[in-house]
Every structure is written in C-alpha cells, then in structure tokens.
Amino acid sequence: MPPPSPLNRRRFLQLSAGAVVLSAGCASGGESGSPGTTSPAGTAGAPLIGPGDPSVAAAEGARSSTGRVARFDLRAAPARIGIGRRELDTWAFDGVIPGKEIRVTRGDTVEVAVRNDLLQDTTIHWHGLALRNDMDGVHDLTQAPILPGESFTYRFLAPHAGTYWFHPHMGTQLDRALYAPLIIEDPDEPGGYDVDQVIVLDDWLDGIGRTPDDVLAALAGMNMDMGSGSMGSMPGMDHGSMGMPAFESEILGGDAGDVDYPLHLINGRPTADRPTIEVPAGGRLRLRFINAGSDTAYRVALGGHRMTVTHTDGFPVEPIEVEAILIGMGERYDVVVQPQSGAWPLVALAEGKDLTAEAIIRTSDAAATQAPPAGEHPAELDGRLLTLTDLRATESVRLDTRPPDVDELIKMTGSMMPYSWGFDGATFPQRAPIEIVQGQRVRLTFENTTTMWHPIHLHGHTFRVGDDPSGPRKDTVNVLPGQRLAVEFDADNPGQWMIHCHNTYHLERGMAMVASYVPT
Ligand code: C2O
Ligand code: CU
C-alpha cells in the first residue's frame, strides 16, 4: 500500500473516531480535527463500521474460545544475517529469517507484543485470518502505524485451524526478512502424519546490491526515464525496462514477474545451503508451503513422488494427488507425502525466472551422507500440475449457493510503463470501497485486463472460488491475464478490509481497495 497519505490518514481518523486504537495516530498524524471530512472514496460523512465499532468486539466475542492465551514477543529491527555463505544487512524479526514460527491451537487467544526498532513505521498483518478488524494490521485503515521505538500488542482469537503467516503491511518491508509462519492446530484433526514441516518460499535481493526500496524507485521511475537514455544504466534492471517481459511463463499466461532476484530461499536458505528434512522410514510427512515472496510464483515438486494436497489457504480440500503445485505470493498449500527410502530433492522453481530454491527430504534409513545432486530439475515439475478446478472444498467447509446481495465487477488494471496498478483504472485509495452490510452474501468478480497475473487477496474472510458450492475456500487466488474469476463470501466479520494484489510492488503502486462494512 502506498505510504500513509493525508487521504488515508483522514479515512482512518474518520473510521476510528472514538476508538481505542487511535491515540498514537492522532499524535503522529498531525491531522487531528479532520474526522468526518472528505474520505477518499467520496463517501463524506457516511457512517462506516470502523475497527472500533462495537460490532467488531461482538463478532470476536461470538468466536469459540479455549480460554487459553498464547503470548509472544516480536521485535522488528535491522539485522545482519547469514544467507548461504553471505552475511548481509536487512530487516528481520528477532534477527532470524524466516521469523520464528508462532504455533497455537484453534480457539486460543494470540497475544503478540510487537516492538518496532526499525527506522520507519510498521504494522503486522496476520494473513488469512478471519480475526477482529482492529487487529488486522493495516496502517491508517485499522490502526495507526507503530512508530519507530514504539510498541503495540496484538491480541486476537485464532478462529480457524490451518497454515497462515504474518508480515508488515507497510511499504516494501515484506520484501526484507520480515515474515514468519503462523500455524493454528486443529485439536480435532486426526493427524495422520509423523512430521509437520513448514516450507516458507521467498525471493531475495535485500543487501545484495540493492534494497526493495531501490527496486520500487526504479520501477516507479521507468516512465520518467522514458527516452532519457538513463535506463540502461540501472543495475539489475528488471522486466519491462524496454517494454518487453523478461520473465515469461506459459502457466502464468505470459509475463511472470517484474523483479530479478539473485536468490530464492526455502526457510531462509538458498540452494547452496539446502535444508534437510528428516522423516522416519515409512513415515508420513506433512508439508505446509507458504509463498512469502514479493514478485515470484513458485512451482514446487518432490522428485520421485506425487504429493497429496489436503489444504489450501488453511482450509481443507478433498485430497488430490498431483506432481506439481504453482503457488502465488500469499497462497498456502498443505500436502502429505510418504517418502520412499532415500534422499529426495524438494524443488521450488521460480516460475518464469529459471532459478530454484531447494531442500532435501531424507528418510531415517538412508545414509546421512546421501543427497540428490543440487540444481536438479525433477520430472515431476513438468508433470501433473494442480489446477484451481481440481480443488474441491471438503463438505465441512463448503459455502452454500444463494443469490448475492452485493455483486460487484472489479477490473484489474495497470501497466509496466508507467508502473502503476489498480482496480477499475484507479489507484489506492481512489477506487470506491465496496459497501457491505453484515449478513450479506457478497460476490466479487475480478476481471484481469492487464498483461500480467495477480494474486488477489482479501483480508478477514475466506471466500469460495467460483460458482459451485464445492469450490475451494481461499483468501488469495491467482488471476491470469484475460481471466475473469468470481469469488463469494458471507459478510460475517464487520470492519474495514483490504482487497489487494499480493505482489509487493503492485500493492505499493496502487492495486488495492477496501471492502467496507456499513451500518444497515
Ligand atoms: Cu498478506 Cu494485505 O496481506
Ligand atoms: Cu499484481
């Protein structure tokens, strides 16, 4: 999302007038006194269900609780970390990449005391959770930013089991080391696996010649440099510098990405320093894939094996066996595999970018020295690829079909030159919010009119993809160029919620809007 603009801040002030979260924002925003004045969408003075609305606390109170509180500390700060043989400077949670996993049980209250020791504002967003709106971590929409040197404690009930993650919702911070898994265990789940391993995928460039902010500035500056002849001098110039896609992928419908990353990581490690996952001989392994990248889809496969997909974006699907899965930024997939004796390559191919991140999966009866050669391209990568239409929600999480109360067509728009992205030709926050009343059925149809794919993410809800009741429940879905894709959800979580592309650079350049609950 663009940095706090006067418009954003005014909207936030309007939303949270009287809300507990505001005090820091008032002090720092310098715009106190503006609540109720023009909001970005022109809904001046219209009442909104803000993060401090009593209905937000009421929705939280209705969630079923274990009564337990799980407490964590999280410090965001500049750090010198090791990636492979390199030592580099970046920003991280508690000095490690990825940040330390948070693991709780469904119904627990999660309490995370965040300290911001960065040199800029931050917030933390709990990606995919249907949590209380005032804890969603969107600066100037659901809370005031956490200023440098300040702290903020997030406290919310973990409503659904599954694979989630968290990251700042500010600037390009997500493209540094500021991300970590959030795993919510299901006390009723039979399990059926011996090892539970999170696999976080990430595209990496920070501290190797340029920062994410340099990349953003270069992309944003492309239109200004047009014809000035200065573009050729940009080191590591990315896709589209001459209006031509540098990264192409058939399965992404053409243009695969905008940014050239020197490294791709699994759990913070490049191929030269592959992690090994040990599995007891004959045992079953649950892998939880999270794409924490900023501009890279990963195609993942396990050499010599098929994988049984069991969940996407935290929610269960009817198990389906595939050889490869394409994972967009923000998406998660859980799979179960029973590795044959030996050591096998788990490969994440940066789609359209021809580089990989890798891990080794080794059974306990294999020699400790046994390892597949690095840099392999297992045949499974080009084998049976999971498609969206393969995915069917399990009976227990299906969303029935009923006529939508809100039915909105949203055109995804934008271009590389100028580097600007949006919805219906408008950049955030200019596109009018979608107004929703609690209890409504909402249908959003995304139509991608651009030449790139975009992973579209909705905060605070898990929509159903497509028209069929068996469509998978997801919170992030890839929309390919020329594609039209409908999602539906029940408006059961009052507040103000972002809808945006999960490409960090597209989000920063405007591809975002708000789903806004309003009073009846
Ligand atoms: Cu994971 Cu609004 O983002
Ligand atoms: Cu995008």
Side-chain angles (χ1 to χ4, degrees), residues 421 452-456 501-503 506-507 511:
W421 302 96
M452 284 196 76
W453 71 287
H454 306 273
I456 296 295
C501 174
H502 220 283
N503 180 307
H506 294 187
L507 170 57
M511 197 178 245

Side-chain angles (χ1 to χ4, degrees), residues 72-93:
F72 305 88
D73 290 305
L74 189 71
R75 178 173 173 261
R80 190 159 178 83
I81 64 171
I83 291 189
R85 278 180 294 273
R86 286 186 169 86
E87 289 263 296
L88 49 80
D89 292 307
T90 184
W91 303 348
F93 290 136

Side-chain angles (χ1 to χ4, degrees), residues 477-493:
V477 67
N478 303 328
V479 187
L480 304 188
Q483 195 183 8
R484 223 180 205 251
L485 190 75
V487 304
E488 282 190 26
F489 63 93
D490 281 326
D492 56 6
N493 198 12

Side-chain angles (χ1 to χ4, degrees), residues 125 127-128 138 165 167-169 174 330 457 459 498 500 502 507:
H125 170 60
H127 180 120
V138 178
W165 63 299
H167 58 79
H169 217 283
L174 164 58
H457 174 47
H459 285 206
M498 296 297 298
H500 65 85
H502 220 283
L507 170 57

